[in-house]
Each structure stands twice: as structure tokens, then as C-alpha cells.
Amino acid sequence: DTAVSQTPKYLVTQMGNDKSIKCEQNLGHDTMYWYKQDSKKFLKIMFSYNNKELIINETVPNRFSPKSPDKAHLNLHINSLELGDSAVYFCASSQVQTYEQYFGPGTRLTVT
Amino acid sequence: AQSVTQLDSQVPVFEEAPVELRCNYSSSVSVYLFWYVQYPNQGLQLLLKYLSGSTLVESINGFEAEFNKSQTSFHLRKPSVHISDTAEYFCAVIPRGAQKLVFGQGTRLTINP
């Protein structure tokens, strides 16, 4: 059973397009996250939701919009894609106060 | 603000040799400490964590890390590595009262036969 799943695994698209990445967790956690891993493998948090409420919003361009329809899902929509958006995006989840975050397999986004 | 520094970007070792991956952090508040491992083309897996209690923590696959408050370090060690330990290792902290992980730059551990 996959704990944190993401779709798609790979996403190749052209500049200017709009795309979405979906994330689902079946661990019953109440907090979900999006992290970006750049070409140098550096990981940085983008957003965090707790019970569908946005609690962390780092300095991310407003072309990125997370949406949490329910506690188990956190999707990432990206408008007007740019070359610099090429990266691996990881979804994660945790139960608040346990501090253990479980990561999905990642979505490799390539913008051409 | 918090920052995490992994002092070595790459560490090559021979199989069955010991290894230490170094991690130092900077924070104005107390933090929880973590090591995550990323195998090639996979997501991150929690290797071990320090939240409180004994400063020496161990993983099920032979890794250990020791929290040293005075040196603000959380170095990862293994007495004898295997080919299967080849991966990228990330040190990370969570500030107390917060939920976001702050990662170091990662250390690529390469095991040579």
C-alpha cells in the first residue's frame, strides 16, 4: 500500500503552459506539504496545509497555487510555466506534533 | 532563522569501511533533528531522528547519529558500509513549534567495491 502517492511521476511541458500535480496520502495525517528539489538536489519547502488550511507559504511565485480539497489530498497547480520551474516536486505528510514527515516518490517536472 | 550545513557534498568510501557524514546546524531556538536518505530516483525516507532523550539514536540498518548540543552537530555514522548504502543523505531540522523541515545541501555517499 502506497502511503503518499503523487501523479504524474514525470511531466514534460512547454513554457507558458499550466499544469497540475496531484498528491494523496492514506496515512490519516492532518498536515501535508510540497517541497521543491532543484537540479543541485537542494530541498526547500513551498507550502504546508493543516486540515485543509494553509499554514506555510514560503516565498513562492503566485503562479504556484496549492489546493487541498480534503485532508488526504494536496494538489499543486502551476500557471505560466517557466524554465526555472524544472525540478522534482515532493509531496509529504505528517501528523502534527509527531514531526515525522513521509514523502511521496516525487514528480519530475521538465519545462522546455 | 535556521540553517543546516552538510560539510561534504560527496563521500566516496570502500565497502565495509566506516563512514561519517557531517552535519551542523544553526538556530536561535531548539530544534528537532533528522537524517533522510534518498536512493537513486526515489523519494526521501526517514533514516533516524532526534527529538529528546538519549543523544545517540540508531536506525534499523546500522546507522547512528549523535546530537551534540554544544557543537550544534548531528553527524551520521556507520561502522561498515555496504554497496546498498549508496544514496544521497540529507540532514534536516524542524524548529520547535514549527512544522517545516529545513534541509542541508545533501551528501552523496558512494560505496566502491
Side-chain angles (χ1 to χ4, degrees), chain B:
Chain B
Q2 293 75 37
S3 67
V4 179
T5 302
Q6 292 183 242
L7 296 157
D8 305 296
S9 60
Q10 295 187 61
V11 173
V13 296
F14 288 106
E15 196 172 13
E16 298 184 5
V19 70
E20 178 180 77
L21 307 184
R22 297 178 292 169
C23 172
N24 287 88
Y25 69 92
S26 172
S27 176
S28 55
V29 301
S30 297
V31 297
Y32 302 112
L33 298 136
F34 304 83
W35 276 98
Y36 280 83
V37 57
Q38 184 177 26
Y39 297 106
N41 298 312
Q42 294 188 28
L44 283 84
Q45 301 174 31
L46 179 64
L47 188 59
L48 42 76
K49 65 185 179 192
Y50 172 78
L51 302 183
S52 64
S54 172
T55 57
L56 184 65
V57 290
E58 298 176 352
S59 73
I60 57 173
N61 57 355
F63 283 94
E64 65 178 30
E66 185 157 23
F67 169 52
N68 187 318
K69 188 174 181 180
S70 63
Q71 296 186 5
T72 59
S73 68
F74 192 53
H75 300 333
L76 181 69
R77 301 184 186 94
K78 189 170 185 180
S80 176
V81 296
H82 302 286
I83 292 283
S84 59
D85 293 325
T86 296
E88 193 90 21
Y89 291 80
F90 293 93
C91 183
V93 303
I94 292 180
R96 295 207 178 191
Q99 284 290 122
K100 68 175 187 179
L101 278 162
V102 177
F103 285 92
Q105 304 93 318
T107 297
R108 178 170 296 178
L109 177 62
T110 305
I111 313 299
N112 299 307

Side-chain angles (χ1 to χ4, degrees), chain A:
Chain A
D1 288 342
T2 304
V4 183
S5 60
Q6 295 177 228
T7 53
K9 189 169 174 62
Y10 299 97
L11 186 52
V12 181
T13 188
Q14 291 184 331
M15 284 175 54
N17 284 348
D18 303 339
K19 290 293 178 185
S20 292
I21 306 172
K22 295 186 176 182
C23 177
E24 177 181 0
Q25 56 96 2
N26 62 6
L27 297 168
H29 290 164
D30 55 13
T31 306
M32 296 185 72
Y33 313 80
W34 279 110
Y35 289 85
K36 179 180 180 180
Q37 185 175 46
D38 64 22
S39 59
K40 295 183 179 179
K41 299 267 186 176
F42 185 64
L43 281 147
K44 193 172 192 304
I45 190 163
M46 301 172 69
F47 303 103
S48 174
Y49 269 75
N50 178 265
N51 283 321
K52 302 196 299 176
E53 182 181 344
L54 182 66
I55 57 171
I56 295 175
N57 185 349
E58 293 291 296
T59 49
V60 177
N62 57 15
R63 298 182 295 103
F64 290 77
S65 53
K67 285 185 172 51
S68 181
D70 56 58
K71 246 177 39 164
H73 296 84
L74 180 62
N75 304 322
L76 183 65
H77 189 75
I78 315 170
N79 290 328
S80 303
L81 278 155
E82 300 177 357
L83 292 176
D85 298 332
S86 295
V88 181
Y89 293 85
F90 286 101
C91 178
S93 72
S94 72
Q95 190 65 21
V96 70
Q97 300 305 321
T98 66
Y99 303 103
E100 285 189 40
Q101 295 188 18
Y102 292 79
F103 283 77
T107 296
R108 183 175 295 275
L109 171 65
T110 303
V111 182
T112 62

